[in-house]
């Protein structure tokens, strides 16, 4: 039999495989999440996320220098305050934990890009992402506080803000507030398609959200739905989002691909705490080749269409 097509020809030589590779990953596209808590001399291992730690502002420069040395250029801060209340006031306090972390970071390692997570779940006594009214989150009363949080983070030094609350209209409210405060050049990376996922479990330990009761299904997305994600993406773009994010990543690569095919802005994905914890646990048991799995799963997310990746394995 005469074969006219032999795809294997391009697989026979490693140099050729490297040359024609379709998906390429740049460390410049990685974002490394760091947890910062109020206090002093804190470098605390996160039990459910082996290898990840909490830092206080005074020890934060160590984490930033370590990340920079590894080639990381982009950092996302999550804050853990000492004081929590019904309205999450520490989220938008001028000297809140994220705001102080931004000031320290900009002074210690100014060459990195710093992103502030804009949400209230780590700051509220009930653990929800906004103001509670009855048995639900009051969407419209939450919006001004999210906007205030974003402005306070940028005033403290944030280069970008990333609202993760999933309130309707939050991108528009934040864009308006930033523009009015003179921050017209500050980009918004929207958690546009954020699902109510079981993969977030270890994050609650990391972010001190173990006070949380109930669920977030009235505002985060039902993981059975696909078209709804595209509606959220369209809405956030109309409201002024500069970058669109899908979260989680591994179980939502169909959503990443559909989003990439639909929009003309950068698409980010967040490989979340549960994804990280599963790989670490299986690796620790010798069940998998951890480094090989990290490489394969990361590449698969980029192959699906992401150009930016939040990843606890970034270093």
């Amino acid at each position: 039999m005469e074969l006219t097509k032999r795809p294997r020809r391009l697989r026979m030589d490693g140099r050729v495989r490297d040359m024609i590779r379709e998906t390429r990953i740049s460390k410049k596209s990685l974002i490394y999440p760091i947890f910062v808590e109020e206090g002093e001399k804190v470098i605390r291992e996160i039990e459910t996320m082996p290898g990840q730690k909490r830092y206080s502002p005074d020890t934060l420069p160590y984490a930033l220098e370590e990340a920079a040395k590894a080639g990381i250029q982009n950092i996302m801060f999550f804050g853990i305050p000492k004081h929590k209340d019904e309205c999450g006031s520490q989220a938008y306090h001028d000297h809140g934990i994220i705001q102080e972390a931004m000031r320290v970071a900009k002074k210690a390692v100014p060459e990195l890009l710093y992103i502030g997570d804009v949400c209230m779940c780590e700051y509220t006594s009930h653990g929800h992402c906004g103001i509670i009214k009855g048995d639900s989150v009051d969407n419209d009363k939450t919006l001004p506080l999210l906007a205030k949080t974003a402005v306070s983070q940028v005033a403290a030094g944030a280069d970008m803000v990333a609202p993760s609350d999933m309130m309707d209209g939050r991108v528009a409210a934040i864009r308006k507030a930033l523009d009015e405060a003179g921050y017209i050049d500050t980009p918004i990376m929207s958690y546009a398609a954020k699902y109510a996922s079981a993969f977030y479990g270890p994050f609650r330990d990391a972010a001190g959200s173990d006070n949380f009761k109930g669920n977030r299904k009235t505002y985060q997305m039902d993981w059975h739905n696909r078209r709804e994600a595209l509606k959220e993406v369209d809405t956030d773009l109309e409201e002024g989002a500069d970058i669109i994010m899908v979260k989680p990543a591994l179980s939502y690569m169909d959503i990443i691909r559909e989003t990439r095919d639909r929009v003309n802005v950068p698409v980010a994905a967040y490989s979340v705490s549960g994804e990280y914890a599963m790989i670490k646990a299986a690796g620790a048991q010798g069940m998998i080749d951890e480094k090989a799995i990290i490489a394969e799963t990361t590449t698969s997310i980029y192959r699906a269409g992401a150009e930016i990746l939040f990843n606890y394995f970034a270093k």
Side-chain angles (χ1 to χ4, degrees), residues 143-158:
L143 295 181
L145 301 183
L146 294 170
K148 191 175 180 180
T149 299
V151 171
S152 69
Q153 290 182 359
V154 176

Side-chain angles (χ1 to χ4, degrees), residues 194-270:
K194 181 180 180 181
Y195 285 84
S197 173
F199 282 98
Y200 303 148
F203 179 89
R204 293 182 185 172
D205 175 39
S209 299
D210 48 7
N211 59 316
F212 177 69
K213 292 180 175 60
N215 61 65
R216 298 188 172 99
K217 293 182 179 180
T218 64
Y219 44 102
Q220 293 179 2
M221 286 185 50
D222 183 345
W223 39 263
H224 298 82
N225 295 352
R226 178 183 60 82
R227 293 191 305 273
E228 185 183 13
L230 302 179
K231 179 174 70 174
E232 292 281 5
V233 166
D234 289 344
T235 299
D236 284 5
L237 285 176
E238 290 168 6
E239 292 182 9
D242 300 285
I243 301 171
I244 291 295
M245 187 202 299
V246 176
K247 182 181 181 183
L250 287 180
S251 290
Y252 299 87
M253 287 198 276
D254 58 325
I255 307 302
I256 296 172
R257 170 44 57 191
E258 289 206 54
T259 300
R260 174 64 282 154
D261 291 343
R262 188 181 188 88
V263 306
N264 61 1
V265 300
V267 174
Y270 199 133

Side-chain angles (χ1 to χ4, degrees), residues 35-86:
F35 298 91
V36 190
E37 70 171 83
E38 282 191 279
E40 295 180 348
K41 299 180 181 179
V42 175
I43 300 180
R44 180 176 295 122
E45 190 85 19
I46 298 169
E47 188 173 333
T48 54
M49 297 177 67
Q52 302 302 308
K53 300 178 177 66
R54 287 189 188 180
Y55 301 89
S56 51
D58 59 320
T59 61
L60 180 59
Y62 166 78
L64 299 176
E65 289 162 6
E66 187 180 56
K69 187 178 295 185
I72 300 302
Q73 296 187 359
N74 313 299
I75 301 291
M76 165 79 102
F77 286 141
F78 292 98
I80 302 99
K82 285 184 177 179
H83 172 72
K84 302 186 180 193
D85 55 33
E86 289 289 310

Side-chain angles (χ1 to χ4, degrees), residues 153-179:
Q153 290 182 359
V154 176
D159 300 295
M160 183 183 296
V161 291
S164 62
D165 55 283
M166 287 300 286
M167 297 298 114
D168 293 339
R170 77 275 174 67
V171 173
I174 290 170
R175 183 74 273 159
K176 183 174 185 290
L178 289 174
D179 290 353

Side-chain angles (χ1 to χ4, degrees), residues 49-154:
M49 297 177 67
Q52 302 302 308
K53 300 178 177 66
R54 287 189 188 180
Y55 301 89
S56 51
D58 59 320
T59 61
L60 180 59
Y62 166 78
L64 299 176
E65 289 162 6
E66 187 180 56
K69 187 178 295 185
I72 300 302
Q73 296 187 359
N74 313 299
I75 301 291
M76 165 79 102
F77 286 141
F78 292 98
I80 302 99
K82 285 184 177 179
H83 172 72
K84 302 186 180 193
D85 55 33
E86 289 289 310
C87 58
S89 61
Q90 291 301 302
Y92 43 87
H93 194 287
D94 287 343
H95 295 284
I97 182 59
I98 290 289
Q99 291 78 0
E100 291 304 302
M102 289 294 177
R103 293 184 181 101
V104 168
K106 280 292 188 178
K107 185 176 181 180
V109 191
E111 65 269 22
L112 301 184
L113 182 135
Y114 295 104
I115 306 167
D117 175 71
V118 177
C119 195
M120 299 177 69
C121 60
E122 294 126 271
Y123 306 92
T124 54
S125 52
H126 44 74
H128 278 283
C129 299
I131 301 299
I132 292 292
K133 182 180 180 181
D135 295 327
S136 185
V137 172
D138 190 318
N139 189 95
D140 294 2
K141 284 188 177 179
T142 300
L143 295 181
L145 301 183
L146 294 170
K148 191 175 180 180
T149 299
V151 171
S152 69
Q153 290 182 359
V154 176

Side-chain angles (χ1 to χ4, degrees), residues 9-26:
R9 287 193 190 111
L10 297 181
R11 302 178 197 144
M12 302 307 290
D13 189 316
R15 294 167 298 181
V16 176
R17 291 195 300 271
D18 288 345
M19 180 178 67
I20 67 167
R21 182 163 288 162
E22 297 175 20
T23 305
R24 300 181 187 274
I25 300 171
S26 168

